[in-house]
Amino acid sequence: MKIVINIIVLVFLGTSLSQAQTLDDYFKKAAENNPGLQAKYREFEAALQRVPQVSTLPDPSFSFGYFISPVETRVGPQRARFSLTQMFPWFGTLRAQGDAATLMAEAKYQAFLDARNRLYYQVAAAYYPLYELNQWIEIERENIEILESYKTIANKKFENGVGTMVDFLRVDIMLKDASTNLSILNDKEAPLLTWFNKLLNREENAWVTVEDSLLAQTLPDNFRKDSLLAKNPVLEELDLKIASSEASEEVAYKQGLPKLGVGLDYAIVGNRPEVELPDNGQDILMPMVSVSIPIFRSKYKAAVKEAQLMQESYSLQKKDFANTLTSNYEMAWFEIQQQQELIELYDQQIQESNQALNLLFTAYSNSGNEFEEVLRMQQQLLKYEKMKATAATQYQIALAKLNYLTAKTY
């Protein structure tokens, strides 16, 4: 029977571990299911469909005419006429239009990559508050258990004439506060779960596996700073938009050049019965060449100027974003260092508060005095434990932001 129970326990633990999911697993689910990210990818796919639209020749034109009153010619009356014409833009225009559309599609893909990285950051920013909440709930439950034991001790000392009724009432007041705080924390779980699950596009009350502890590792100076401006998708997107605008400038210039047309006219001619001619009733076939004359130059100059101004705009946007990226990196790095120092401080404060609490509680157990100090130290210990959990959460959120700014790949 013991062997069977052990096997069942092992199977249960194995199943639980196989179902446990890490933050990276949630990143993957969000990338697969988030509708906002899917919309960004559809924009990229739609932009790709623009390439064949602009890199092919315009449709040929075909016309047909029927002479109600036949037009007499030397070889006979014309009955009907067919015309087929194909226009050709200036040499290199289609290639330039295709290049501009391709580069813009690549820019859309970089925008998708940035949206994906931003989604990862949002998932992390929604995940770590769940850790903080779990820690606060556990800390508050332990606090209630300790206060319950203090309440029992205070009641016994009062019954034995060593303590006072005030000590008992103080603990009772603090227990009510702790119970209310725990109830509020439990109510907070639902909105945090909804926030997280909706980023993954799933049911708002779906179960989320949260880590029991977070490691605030010491990072080297200028951590991932070499990737800040080298691999950022937004900067890549703006570079591609600049290149696309340069191709658009070439397109605008070439559209201001003549367009060539090649055509063919075919006329159906009837017989002239009253005369004998070598070409009597012979249909007419006439090749044609046409040239457009772009004499209204203002629209072409405006198109060239528009492309040049867009290049300047994208260049300025790139410089502004690089500046913002650098300042955001420094703020995220400061936040990481700050939270790391706070975690170290709270570790020391928790250790010393525990020592002081043990001494105070021993003194109270012996004399029945200083119970108010015991309670005050207990609440101070509770505060430091909660602040440490918050600092660990903020550290991880700041690290996730730094990973987003430096375009970390997962």
Side-chain angles (χ1 to χ4, degrees):
M1 178 62 69
K2 185 180 293 185
I3 294 175
V4 172
I5 293 175
N6 288 335
I7 292 174
I8 294 174
V9 170
L10 289 174
V11 171
F12 174 78
L13 290 176
T15 304
S16 300
L17 290 174
S18 65
Q19 293 177 347
Q21 293 179 312
T22 64
L23 184 56
D24 286 346
D25 294 328
Y26 289 127
F27 285 160
K28 183 178 179 182
K29 287 183 177 294
E32 292 173 350
N33 302 325
N34 184 269
L37 187 61
Q38 292 176 350
K40 282 290 184 181
Y41 193 76
R42 293 298 182 272
E43 287 184 19
F44 159 65
E45 291 182 318
L48 284 177
Q49 302 307 312
R50 182 70 181 166
V51 178
Q53 297 179 50
V54 300
S55 58
T56 56
L57 289 171
D59 293 332
S61 60
F62 174 79
S63 61
F64 168 76
Y66 179 79
F67 296 94
I68 298 176
S69 298
V71 178
E72 293 293 339
T73 65
R74 186 183 66 85
V75 295
Q78 291 189 27
R79 302 295 186 185
R81 174 177 292 181
F82 302 88
S83 295
L84 180 66
T85 305
Q86 174 67 63
M87 296 300 295
F88 296 88
W90 193 260
F91 306 104
T93 302
L94 295 179
R95 175 192 55 77
Q97 290 180 168
D99 290 345
T102 300
L103 290 167
M104 190 57 71
E106 292 177 7
K108 291 289 185 182
Y109 182 72
Q110 293 299 321
F112 158 75
L113 293 181
D114 178 67
R116 183 197 62 186
N117 294 343
R118 185 167 58 252
L119 176 62
Y120 288 165
Y121 167 62
Q122 291 171 339
V123 170
Y127 173 84
Y128 290 114
L130 287 169
Y131 163 83
E132 179 187 27
L133 178 65
N134 289 347
Q135 293 297 308
W136 277 43
I137 289 175
E138 185 62 28
I139 291 169
E140 202 64 67
R141 285 173 178 167
E142 292 178 0
N143 179 49
I144 290 175
E145 291 178 2
I146 292 172
L147 290 176
E148 289 284 1
S149 65
Y150 285 176
K151 184 177 180 180
T152 302
I153 294 172
N155 186 45
K156 288 183 178 179
K157 284 189 173 293
F158 172 71
E159 291 175 351
N160 295 332
V162 181
T164 64
M165 188 64 180
V166 174
D167 293 340
F168 177 84
L169 293 175
R170 283 197 183 104
V171 181
D172 191 57
I173 292 171
M174 294 178 68
L175 268 171
K176 291 177 181 178
D177 287 343
S179 297
T180 301
N181 290 338
L182 182 59
S183 176
I184 293 172
L185 290 174
N186 287 326
D187 292 340
K188 189 179 179 181
E189 184 178 25
L192 289 180
L193 283 175
T194 300
W195 177 26
F196 181 83
N197 283 320
K198 287 308 175 183
L199 288 171
L200 277 64
N201 193 33
R202 61 182 193 173
E203 293 297 327
E204 58 189 39
N205 58 351
W207 177 255
V208 179
T209 305
V210 183
E211 299 175 46
D212 295 330
S213 61
L214 297 177
L215 176 62
Q217 57 185 348
T218 302
L219 303 175
D221 292 338
N222 298 321
F223 177 69
R224 295 185 54 82
K225 195 171 185 179
D226 56 341
S227 302
L228 185 64
L229 302 179
K231 299 180 180 179
N232 190 277
V234 176
L235 296 178
E236 293 286 342
E237 176 190 0
L238 291 171
D239 281 336
L240 289 166
K241 285 183 175 181
I242 292 172
S244 178
S245 294
E246 291 173 349
S248 296
E249 181 183 356
E250 182 182 358
V251 170
Y253 171 75
K254 290 183 178 296
Q255 285 179 341
L257 298 175
K259 298 179 179 62
L260 305 177
V262 177
L264 191 66
D265 263 16
Y266 185 82
I268 300 175
V269 180
N271 291 319
R272 296 183 62 181
E274 70 277 6
V275 296
E276 291 290 336
L277 294 173
D279 297 326
N280 190 13
Q282 180 68 41
D283 293 344
I284 302 172
L285 182 64
M286 182 174 63
M288 294 187 303
V289 175
S290 61
V291 178
S292 67
I293 305 175
I295 59 176
F296 302 107
R297 305 298 304 169
S298 58
K299 61 180 179 181
Y300 303 112
K301 292 179 180 179
V304 171
K305 188 63 177 178
E306 177 188 6
Q308 292 172 346
L309 290 173
M310 288 307 301
Q311 292 172 43
E312 294 178 14
S313 174
Y314 291 139
S315 296
L316 292 171
Q317 289 179 46
K318 180 181 177 183
K319 184 176 181 180
D320 179 66
F321 186 79
N323 292 338
T324 303
L325 206 58
T326 302
S327 60
N328 286 343
Y329 175 90
E330 294 300 331
M331 289 301 299
W333 179 244
F334 164 75
E335 183 73 13
I336 288 173
Q337 292 178 309
Q338 179 189 32
Q339 299 304 328
Q340 190 168 10
E341 291 179 8
L342 288 175
I343 291 171
E344 294 174 358
L345 170 65
Y346 297 145
D347 277 333
Q348 296 174 2
Q349 300 289 57
I350 289 171
Q351 182 179 359
E352 293 178 4
S353 295
N354 269 315
Q355 293 174 353
L357 180 61
N358 291 333
L359 292 174
L360 287 170
F361 189 75
T362 300
Y364 171 73
S365 299
N366 294 331
S367 64
N369 298 324
E370 302 296 334
F371 187 63
E372 184 177 357
E373 283 299 311
V374 172
L375 295 179
R376 187 186 65 81
M377 186 57 65
Q378 170 62 27
Q379 295 310 299
Q380 183 170 316
L381 176 61
L382 174 71
K383 180 186 72 173
Y384 286 137
E385 288 175 341
K386 287 183 175 180
M387 291 172 71
K388 179 185 175 182
T390 299
T393 299
Q394 294 303 316
Y395 172 92
Q396 296 296 336
I397 292 176
L399 181 58
K401 184 175 182 179
L402 188 141
N403 288 334
Y404 163 62
L405 294 173
T406 56
K408 178 182 176 181
T409 56
Y410 293 89

